Amino acid sequence: MKFKVFIGIDVSKSEIDVFIHSKNQYNKFKNLETGFKHMVEWAKSLAECPSEEILFAFEHTGLYSMPLSLFLDAEGHSFVIIPGLELKRSMGISRGKSDRADARRIADYAFEKKEKLQCYQMPSQTLLKLKRLASYRERLVKERTAFKCRLGEYQHFLDEDENSVLFESHNSLIAKLNEHINKIEKEINRLIKEDQELEAQYRLIKSIKGVGPQTALMMVILTNGFTSFKAWRKFASYAGIAPFPNESGTYRGKARTSSLANKRIKALLNQCATSAIQYNPEMKIYYQNRVTQGKNRMSTLNIIRNKLLARIFAVVLRGTPYVETYKFAA
């Protein structure tokens, strides 16, 4: 659809700053459902076109932008959510900062990129819940790891009898964190089992030797049930495991992966590859052969990460579990 009016929204905790590109009009509203309704009414009164020809654009700001996303989706409005880094790099040289200026820059960006932008499709409620729970679980795991490391240092250097309160406190906190992590994992499993499609994808991914439950969960969440990425190579770029050329003029360097990546899924895929070369005979032989030939260990590990990712997409798109074909080789 060809949009005629582009509206940039700068979202903060309590307010949203709104700028209409073609009309050069600005206004401010509350970051609440009542404020969103007033914004739409104000925009329609100035746009002078059907609501289907209006495109709202805003930056992803986590919980702050979630109510706006849900409202626009429920009301059937077209909108795009722009990654913060992409928006920042598109601005060029800029001096000073204000919410009004940011709203205008977002509107300008949406207008300039109108041929390339794709309207955002909200994930299902189950996926939204899974994403929040997975994020919270990760935070608790990090805190538990910190307490365990600190307790290990205390056990190495301090006498437990003389510092009983310190030791009891750490053990109590670790036990409580274990309890909450287990509770979250049970809720995650319950949500997955209630959705037949997500459960099928989750089980298919886990059928690949070397891929564990946390990686399977994150793959389902980050791909929005394998609807946001059409090919595994696109996701490889997103995950930061796709090699890109490193050339300039007559210089021809080695292909490198980009630092622009989702670090969480990259780390999980790295753990999967490390596990695969230990417990998957096919991957183990492939890794050993390349290393024996003098190939770089990290580049070989990255190839295995890509192989596993390709298999994840393949089993989901095919709808059947992974079969270890090397067993049938003559």
Side-chain angles (χ1 to χ4, degrees), residues 41 151 188 261:
E41 292 172 359
L151 180 61
I188 287 173

Side-chain angles (χ1 to χ4, degrees), residues 26-148:
Y26 165 80
N27 209 334
K28 185 188 290 281
F29 303 93
K30 293 292 183 182
N31 191 2
L32 300 168
E33 185 173 347
T34 53
F36 304 151
K37 290 180 179 179
H38 292 153
M39 175 196 70
V40 171
E41 292 172 359
W42 171 76
K44 286 182 177 179
S45 67
L46 294 173
E48 299 176 350
C49 69
S51 58
E52 293 79 12
E53 297 178 352
I54 300 174
L55 180 68
F56 296 90
F58 52 95
E59 183 183 347
H60 175 69
T61 53
L63 287 175
Y64 294 170
S65 61
M66 181 58 69
L68 177 60
S69 303
L70 293 172
F71 172 82
L72 292 175
D73 182 68
E75 296 294 321
H77 297 291
S78 299
F79 64 99
V80 293
I81 300 180
I82 306 169
L85 182 61
E86 180 180 338
L87 187 64
K88 182 179 180 180
R89 294 197 171 189
S90 71
M91 291 180 180
I93 299 174
S94 59
R95 295 176 177 82
K97 186 185 185 309
S98 70
D99 294 335
R100 177 171 181 163
D102 288 344
R104 180 168 191 161
R105 287 166 183 160
I106 294 171
D108 291 343
Y109 178 87
F111 175 75
E112 292 169 3
K113 303 291 185 180
K114 58 181 179 289
E115 299 298 333
K116 296 183 178 180
L117 291 176
Q118 294 184 349
C119 293
Y120 186 77
Q121 299 295 325
M122 286 293 293
S124 66
Q125 287 297 319
T126 301
L127 279 171
L128 289 173
K129 290 177 183 177
L130 285 172
K131 186 174 183 179
R132 286 192 287 266
L133 287 170
S135 178
Y136 185 52
R137 178 192 175 280
E138 183 180 353
R139 197 176 305 123
L140 291 181
V141 168
K142 287 181 179 179
E143 291 178 3
R144 182 181 64 181
T145 302
F147 279 111
K148 283 184 175 180

Side-chain angles (χ1 to χ4, degrees), residues 294-305:
K295 303 292 185 179
N296 183 276
R297 291 177 182 270
M298 283 307 299
S299 67
T300 304
L301 193 66
N302 191 60
I303 291 173
I304 294 174
R305 288 190 295 198

Side-chain angles (χ1 to χ4, degrees), residues 132-288:
R132 286 192 287 266
L133 287 170
S135 178
Y136 185 52
R137 178 192 175 280
E138 183 180 353
R139 197 176 305 123
L140 291 181
V141 168
K142 287 181 179 179
E143 291 178 3
R144 182 181 64 181
T145 302
F147 279 111
K148 283 184 175 180
C149 290
R150 200 174 298 117
L151 180 61
E153 292 175 351
Y154 291 156
Q155 290 171 338
H156 185 75
F157 291 104
L158 301 178
D159 182 85
E160 187 170 353
D161 294 332
E162 294 180 359
N163 299 273
S164 58
V165 174
L166 198 63
F167 281 81
E168 288 175 6
S169 176
H170 275 69
N171 283 318
S172 175
L173 286 169
I174 291 169
K176 184 60 68 173
L177 286 169
N178 284 332
E179 179 184 334
H180 284 288
I181 290 170
N182 291 334
K183 186 177 181 180
I184 291 169
E185 288 175 348
K186 288 180 180 178
E187 179 65 10
I188 287 173
N189 291 329
R190 185 188 69 80
L191 288 171
I192 291 175
K193 288 180 180 178
E194 288 182 353
D195 191 304
Q196 292 183 354
E197 186 176 358
L198 295 182
E199 184 184 21
Q201 293 175 354
Y202 181 73
R203 291 187 180 279
L204 288 169
I205 296 170
K206 289 202 301 178
S207 70
I208 302 169
K209 187 171 288 187
V211 181
Q214 290 305 314
T215 305
L217 174 65
M218 289 306 298
M219 285 299 303
V220 170
I221 291 172
L222 294 176
T223 60
N224 289 330
F226 289 83
T227 60
S228 298
F229 294 87
K230 295 181 180 179
W232 71 268
R233 288 182 176 84
K234 294 286 186 181
F235 191 85
S237 177
Y238 169 77
I241 63 173
F244 290 93
N246 182 29
E247 302 174 355
S248 179
T250 58
Y251 173 74
R252 298 291 184 272
K254 292 182 179 180
R256 298 172 182 267
T257 57
S258 174
S259 60
L260 300 177
N262 183 312
K263 300 297 196 303
R264 176 56 177 156
I265 191 63
K266 185 175 183 178
L268 285 171
L269 289 171
N270 189 67
Q271 292 174 15
C272 291
T274 304
S275 176
I277 61 177
Q278 294 181 40
Y279 303 108
N280 187 328
E282 180 189 5
M283 293 296 185
K284 185 175 183 179
I285 293 170
Y286 177 81
Y287 178 81
Q288 290 175 344

